[in-house]
Amino acid sequence: MNPALAIRDEDDARRDRMASGGSRARERRCIVSGEVVPEDRLVRFVVSPDGAVTPDIAAVLPGRGIWVGAGKASVDAAVKKNLFAKAAKAQVTAAPGLAGLVERLLVRRMQADLGMARRSGQILLGFDQVQRALQSDAPPALVIEASDGAADGKRKLFAACHARGLKIETVECLDAAELGLALGRENVIHAALKSGRLQERLSFDAKRLSGFRGRPAASDERDV
């Protein structure tokens, strides 16, 4: 067995529920920067039995976790400087395209959760529905905007929040095509999600994906 898998980190055995959409946030040390930061700014990796560095987006795979800042520069640096091997204290293989793989996996995970939200009736789609929800007695907990959507509609929704003194978290790390693929519609620009586990997990993953896409992280209770 690979030595990196034989070393079971006790903390990893009790992994924070937040990595899969829970409510408690834990902090980990990035092997690149050395900083201890919340898990929504990190990606967990493990070493497979054949010695390959494997992204563990959901933080559920067995083995000692290796944590890297959620961003292309950090993952590329970990590969280039052989930091995965140093952290695992073993010979490992880290593919040069690892950062791109992590980004794709995060997108797929968010799309799967969006599809689940649609099937369970937890998501609202379209400008009018989102605007009405923001004006209702039970406003959504999360607003999702296509990164390539027109600014005018976004400003109007932000203004609707401001008029009521609402502070709504907003994420903008997926484009209209990616949202449409997840939700079974073309040109999805505006969506909103009710409070719950899927909302928490989408918020968590959006913060990480934003690090790979050079966009601001999901704003926490953005006042507009």
Side-chain angles (χ1 to χ4, degrees):
M1 182 183 224
N2 190 294
L5 290 177
I7 305 171
R8 179 87 179 179
D9 186 317
E10 184 178 355
D11 280 343
D12 283 344
R14 301 191 303 265
R15 271 186 285 283
D16 169 36
R17 289 186 305 119
M18 190 62 180
S20 57
S23 60
R24 292 183 302 121
R26 292 180 67 93
E27 294 183 331
R28 305 287 184 177
R29 186 180 300 278
C30 170
I31 65 169
V32 177
S33 68
E35 295 180 352
V36 177
V37 295
E39 286 187 18
D40 60 11
R41 291 172 54 190
L42 298 164
V43 175
R44 184 179 188 264
F45 296 84
V46 295
V47 179
S48 69
D50 61 359
V53 175
T54 303
D56 182 16
I57 303 300
V60 295
L61 295 178
R64 183 179 183 181
I66 300 172
W67 299 83
V68 179
K72 184 178 186 301
S74 292
V75 176
D76 284 348
V79 174
K80 184 177 180 180
K81 297 179 181 179
N82 206 30
L83 298 181
F84 287 110
K86 293 178 182 177
K89 298 180 181 179
Q91 291 297 317
V92 303
T93 302
L98 192 59
L101 173 60
V102 172
E103 180 179 349
R104 293 192 296 274
L105 290 173
L106 284 169
V107 170
R108 290 175 196 167
R109 178 174 157 90
M110 290 187 68
Q111 287 177 320
D113 282 342
L114 285 167
M116 193 180 304
R118 178 183 61 82
R119 291 189 295 273
S120 60
Q122 297 181 51
I123 196 166
L124 301 168
L125 300 177
F127 177 87
D128 291 339
Q129 283 206 55
V130 174
Q131 185 177 50
R132 283 196 295 270
L134 293 173
Q135 296 168 344
S136 72
D137 293 333
L142 180 69
V143 171
I144 301 169
E145 302 278 16
S147 59
D148 54 348
D152 184 57
K154 297 177 185 180
R155 282 196 298 266
K156 289 179 180 177
L157 293 181
F158 295 160
C161 291
H162 183 73
R164 296 193 59 197
L166 297 175
K167 295 182 178 181
I168 305 291
E169 182 180 4
T170 304
V171 300
E172 299 182 64
C173 56
L174 296 174
D175 62 29
E178 290 167 335
L179 288 172
L181 183 62
L183 296 166
R185 290 192 182 186
E186 292 185 4
N187 259 344
V188 176
I189 305 298
H190 312 282
L193 207 65
K194 301 176 182 179
S195 178
R197 180 167 181 171
L198 286 174
Q199 167 260 316
E200 290 176 350
R201 193 158 66 192
L202 281 162
S203 170
F204 182 88
D205 288 336
K207 290 181 174 71
R208 299 192 293 171
L209 180 58
S210 295
F212 288 87
R213 298 202 153 181
R215 300 189 61 83
S219 54
D220 293 327
E221 299 185 328
R222 175 149 117 193
D223 193 356
V224 294

